[in-house]
Amino acid sequence: MISKTNGLSRQPARARPPRAWTWYAAACLWTTLLAPATHAAEKYENPTPWSYKRVTRYPIPPVRDAAWPKDDIVRFILARLEKENLHPIGDAPRLTLIRRASFDLRGLPPTQEEIERFVRDAAPDDVAFAKVVDSFLQSERFGERWARHWLDVVRYADSVGRVWNAPFLYAWRYRDWVIDSLNTDKPYNRFVAEQIAGDLLPAKTVIQRRDQIVGTGMLALGSMNLQEGSYEQFVLDQVDDQIDVTSRAFMGLTLSCARCHDHKTEPVSQKDYYALAGIFYSSRTLPGQANRSDMNGSGYVDPEMLVDLPTELNEKVGPPTQLPEGIHSMDDIRLLGNPKGTIRYDMDPHFCMGVVEGKAQDCELAVGGDPFDRKGAPDRGKMGMPLLPPLPHIPPKSSGRLELAQWMASPTHPLTARVMVNRLWQHLFGEGIVRTVDDFGITGSDPTHPELLDHLAVRFIENGWSVKKMIRSMMLSRTYRLATTGDVNHVDAGNKLRWRMNPKRLELEPLRDTLLDLAGQLKLERPEGIQVAGTGGKGNHGRTRGLLSVEEGYRTIYLPVVRDNVPELFSTFDFPGPTQIKGQRDVTTVAPQALFFMNNELVAELAAAVAEKNGKNVKDLYRTVLGREPSMEETHDAEELARELGAETLVQSLLGTAEFRYVF
């Protein structure tokens, strides 16, 4: 049993007053009136889109060059190349390969010891590289690197954004849950299910049950208008956000587009949307914040709107019935007056964001999205999408989240495995087999290698939905190990057929983390406690802000992401807007990126630390920053630069090169 602190109970929420129709519903109805009339049935007459078809086990294609491929993955690639009379370029050298693998798996450069061990390994390339990949996959840094990819998909943030930007005091629990789930290689189907219905899944221990409840935090991270005067409108907006993130993250479908009318391109009717909406409408979302029409007196930051994690295996899950002492709410901060300094929230080990069961009820269809113009409520889960398998039967007193999780995580679902293996491929190879990684619908891209995509999906399922095994298979393929060099006039200059490797530019996180690492200032531990302050209002104690700046030594994934207040450095290097579902980041080339390495004070300080750490020795600086020895000409030029302008300037020059900023 886990003990809890005692506290004071509070009164239940007052009634929820209605409000006039909002601009959002009006805009949706106007769009419906202007759009040409369509009916879901008309779309079903078209041939079944490829992504709705069942995953198929395709035969391994024969290839002429039977000696080159070492894995079935590569046979699909090579067969397509040979069909076009093309050939893959040669393998990348070991020095390039270990840097590529280290950044892809850990988001940090390899150490000099790791480089030397791999380069000098007398084993064949296949064996030597497998040792490297296996070692990196076991690193705790793996979860930190790949969790950030997932957080982009589920619009992770540490505040709600919008009109009253109140902080999410416990979003970090979900972030750490993602990191730990990836490090322990939690099966992906379980990873999916826990984010939808972790509170309803069976557990063997109370520790396991608490852990999987934290996973439901994904559903509570939406950017909502806490000042929305109509509680019904607020709830419907929240449900829409949950439908959007669930359908796009796990299935690559834009089901939320059917909120106000039948979907314009997908075989999804408005009735289907509300059959799915009823599931979340019957659930209670507890983000630690209250809508203004549903406040208990704690203000917008409200601990009674959090999940109280169980201390016994079969304990009912819901909001806390007693509150601990300390600062936990907006009201607690008000009572302190206006003291100097930052007021920090106290962290309770039993609180988290998440979703629990609410009153089971179907959701009436909102005509044109108007919450006060309703008609018949479809049965929860009774979606009439003929191209997808039906959901399991939902018991009358259940929300249906458990059945939705079972349906989504089923090996017979045509989209779940496909979407995930495509996400993994995209992060390793620079582009997905389906280039629109968040859109597998009719308006999305067709796969460049459809048989390979299904081969990966089948393999993923049969290997127990193991993310690490799938990544390992992709990285040990000859396709991953190809060089990035090539002829710009090549008939496939865009590399759709994968005859070479795509160079990838480092994102914000590995860039910043590497700068700290090279200077010996990177902290690998996680920060403790709640790292956001404020209430969403104005003034010293109202403004929501992160308590860890970009100058802090922690890995970038641990820095708070406050909506509408992300650091300038983040936006400079294409960090996605934290209200967006963004499976693939934009890659821009703008002047502030180069100026950052030339003029930024943090870069100058870290460059000086790198120079001092390496005794200002030119060869050591090249090994540290670029992971290789300089040529004779580079040595001569670098020594001259260091004499004239200092070793710190040399380091900054190396940091600004494409060789540092890209993975080849």
Side-chain angles (χ1 to χ4, degrees), residues 71 73 459 468-477:
D71 184 273
I73 293 175
R459 193 164 172 169
K468 285 189 176 182
K469 287 181 180 178
M470 189 78 266
I471 290 174
R472 185 180 190 273
S473 296
M474 291 178 180
M475 291 185 65
L476 296 186
S477 70

Side-chain angles (χ1 to χ4, degrees), residues 42 53 92 265 413 441 564 640:
E42 294 177 8
K53 296 177 181 177
T265 57
H413 197 291
D564 304 321
E640 184 176 352

Side-chain angles (χ1 to χ4, degrees), residues 298-535:
S298 295
Y300 291 107
V301 182
D302 186 355
E304 289 190 86
M305 292 296 291
L306 288 166
V307 179
D308 194 12
L309 292 168
T311 57
E312 296 182 359
L313 185 58
N314 298 317
E315 183 180 340
K316 185 178 179 181
V317 179
T321 56
Q322 293 181 320
L323 297 179
E325 294 181 358
I327 301 170
H328 300 277
S329 71
M330 183 173 173
D331 191 46
D332 292 336
I333 289 180
R334 283 175 179 162
L335 294 175
L336 294 175
N338 190 29
K340 293 182 179 180
T342 298
I343 300 175
R344 300 191 67 126
Y345 288 99
D346 293 311
M347 189 269 290
D348 189 285
H350 303 288
F351 288 170
C352 76
M353 299 170 63
V355 172
V356 297
E357 290 289 80
K359 179 183 177 182
Q361 55 186 321
D362 297 327
C363 184
E364 292 179 318
L365 189 147
V367 178
D370 182 354
F372 304 108
D373 185 3
R374 312 294 280 271
K375 66 179 183 180
D379 294 340
R380 293 191 306 288
K382 290 289 183 68
M383 294 188 294
M385 299 170 62
L387 305 183
L388 292 177
L391 263 73
H393 171 71
I394 298 175
K397 295 184 179 180
S398 299
S399 67
R401 279 187 298 114
L402 179 60
E403 289 71 27
L404 178 63
Q406 293 169 341
W407 177 73
M408 200 84 74
S410 168
T412 61
H413 197 291
L415 288 161
T416 309
R418 278 184 178 134
V419 168
M420 187 55 179
V421 296
N422 189 65
R423 293 192 188 281
L424 301 180
W425 185 277
Q426 177 250 313
H427 288 302
L428 293 174
F429 293 90
E431 285 185 335
I433 298 172
V434 178
R435 298 195 173 193
T436 52
V437 295
D438 297 321
D439 187 0
F440 270 48
I442 294 171
T443 58
S445 301
D446 289 336
T448 57
H449 297 74
E451 295 85 2
L452 172 60
L453 182 65
D454 275 18
H455 171 79
L456 294 171
V458 170
R459 193 164 172 169
F460 188 42
I461 295 168
E462 291 184 342
N463 282 333
W465 301 80
S466 168
V467 170
K468 285 189 176 182
K469 287 181 180 178
M470 189 78 266
I471 290 174
R472 185 180 190 273
S473 296
M474 291 178 180
M475 291 185 65
L476 296 186
S477 70
R478 292 292 294 272
T479 302
Y480 179 84
R481 290 157 47 191
L482 292 174
T484 58
T485 53
D487 184 0
V488 294
N489 297 316
H490 193 281
V491 66
D492 181 28
N495 197 31
K496 290 184 179 181
L497 302 183
R498 315 287 176 182
W499 57 276
R500 62 172 172 84
M501 187 62 169
N502 290 317
K504 302 190 293 288
R505 198 175 73 186
L506 292 177
E507 313 100 293
L508 161 73
E509 293 85 354
L511 271 178
R512 179 183 170 278
D513 293 351
T514 297
L515 290 175
L516 291 167
D517 183 49
L518 298 182
Q521 297 180 19
L522 182 65
K523 299 178 183 177
L524 295 179
E525 65 271 15
R526 296 178 185 177
E528 297 181 358
I530 295 170
Q531 299 299 332
V532 285
T535 63

Side-chain angles (χ1 to χ4, degrees), residues 607-639:
V610 172
E612 189 67 30
K613 180 183 175 185
N614 289 275
K616 302 183 180 181
N617 181 282
V618 166
K619 291 186 176 181
D620 288 342
L621 291 176
Y622 262 80
R623 292 190 198 101
T624 298
V625 178
L626 301 181
R628 65 170 177 85
E629 298 282 342
S631 66
M632 291 182 62
E633 183 179 0
E634 288 174 328
T635 301
H636 177 269
D637 291 344
E639 289 176 344

